[in-house]
Amino acid sequence: AMNYLEIVQEAHRYIGGGNQLPAPNTPSTVVGQTGYFYDLVKSAAAAYKDIQREQDKWAFMQKQTSFVILTGQRTITQAAMVVQIPDYETLMPDTVNGGYRFLIIYSTADGVQDSSICTYVPYQQWRGVVDYSVIPTGKPYLYTIQPNGTIEFNTVTDKPYTMVCDYYQKVIEWVQVDVGPVLADQQTPIFPSRFHEAVVWRTVNYWGGTVQNTGAFGRSGAEYERIMNELRSEC
């Protein structure tokens, strides 16, 4: 595995840019850098974001969770979801035969023995069909996701319910200050360690494009794609 600092150091070794010649453990930290090393540190952070954003369905961005919808609720906003799940971005429902997506829902008080399926309906099919009349009260069995990310159910809940599903987490942004719980230098990509060098080559690619170094730009682009193709295949 490579952490943030090691990625920057490796990129610097390939680049040998600025007034700093490649040397072991250079730079010594990502914190408080200026000039050339500041550009390098920020480029590595941007490179890591690029990789996370490249695909909509990265397996390493998917996590398991549960969340609660309270009595008398019919919707839960994305902001309210983030209160319950701080790194929440959007739902990643499970699928059953035929490709139908669903959540597991159960009465919070009764527990998992009350589990049933709450099936996803695309918003374009939901609007004006499922929600066209008086909304009943009870246990939801259908849901949709509005364009703004709000989760909407086909009933007004009669009591608190717990939903179990997977979700897609927010893009992680590497910081350049020690705010914890992980020190800035020790931030590590969340995808498998054998692909961490993709961040290195993407960082070098940024530098090569900025200074119009065609050799560095071409080589780094090719190496980046080689590793990324393997990552795409696996994840």
Side-chain angles (χ1 to χ4, degrees), residues 169-184:
Q169 72 173 46
K170 290 179 180 178
V171 168
I172 298 169
E173 298 194 30
W174 279 343
V175 298
Q176 293 81 47
V177 292
D178 288 330
V179 293
V182 178
L183 297 178

Side-chain angles (χ1 to χ4, degrees), residues 66-69 76 81 84-85 91 103 151 161-163 165:
S66 64
F67 64 95
V68 174
I69 181 169
I76 181 167
M81 288 291 290
Q84 295 193 46
I85 311 164
L91 289 181
L103 310 175
I151 303 166
Y161 287 95
T162 297
M163 314 289 175
C165 65

Side-chain angles (χ1 to χ4, degrees), residues 13-30:
R13 183 176 73 83
Y14 287 130
I15 291 168
N19 295 320
Q20 302 287 332
L21 294 176
N25 306 318
T26 304
S28 59
T29 182
V30 301

Side-chain angles (χ1 to χ4, degrees), residues 10-155:
E10 188 73 353
H12 173 58
R13 183 176 73 83
Y14 287 130
I15 291 168
N19 295 320
Q20 302 287 332
L21 294 176
N25 306 318
T26 304
S28 59
T29 182
V30 301
V31 178
Q33 293 297 339
T34 59
Y36 160 70
F37 280 142
Y38 173 79
D39 285 342
L40 196 58
V41 164
K42 295 295 286 186
S43 291
Y48 181 42
K49 285 174 62 177
D50 281 352
I51 293 172
Q52 294 175 82
R53 288 173 170 166
E54 193 207 68
Q55 303 289 329
D56 292 332
K57 305 296 182 186
W58 282 127
F60 57 79
M61 298 285 283
Q62 186 169 339
K63 300 173 74 174
Q64 297 179 351
T65 193
S66 64
F67 64 95
V68 174
I69 181 169
L70 301 176
T71 305
Q73 277 191 292
R74 184 169 166 252
T75 62
I76 181 167
T77 66
Q78 188 167 28
M81 288 291 290
V82 171
V83 171
Q84 295 193 46
I85 311 164
D87 64 349
Y88 172 84
E89 178 66 27
T90 189
L91 289 181
M92 293 283 287
D94 298 315
T95 58
V96 293
N97 292 340
Y100 294 104
R101 294 187 285 170
F102 69 94
L103 310 175
I104 296 296
I105 178 173
Y106 58 84
S107 163
T108 303
D110 294 337
V112 296
Q113 64 269 22
D114 182 56
S115 294
S116 60
I117 285 177
C118 187
T119 305
Y120 172 75
V121 178
Y123 184 74
Q124 291 76 8
Q125 299 172 25
W126 177 285
R127 184 65 175 153
V129 178
V130 178
D131 62 353
Y132 78 100
S133 187
V134 176
I135 304 301
T137 298
K139 185 179 185 179
Y141 58 88
L142 299 173
Y143 80 98
T144 192
I145 301 176
Q146 298 178 4
N148 65 0
T150 294
I151 303 166
E152 180 180 347
F153 297 95
N154 70 313
T155 69

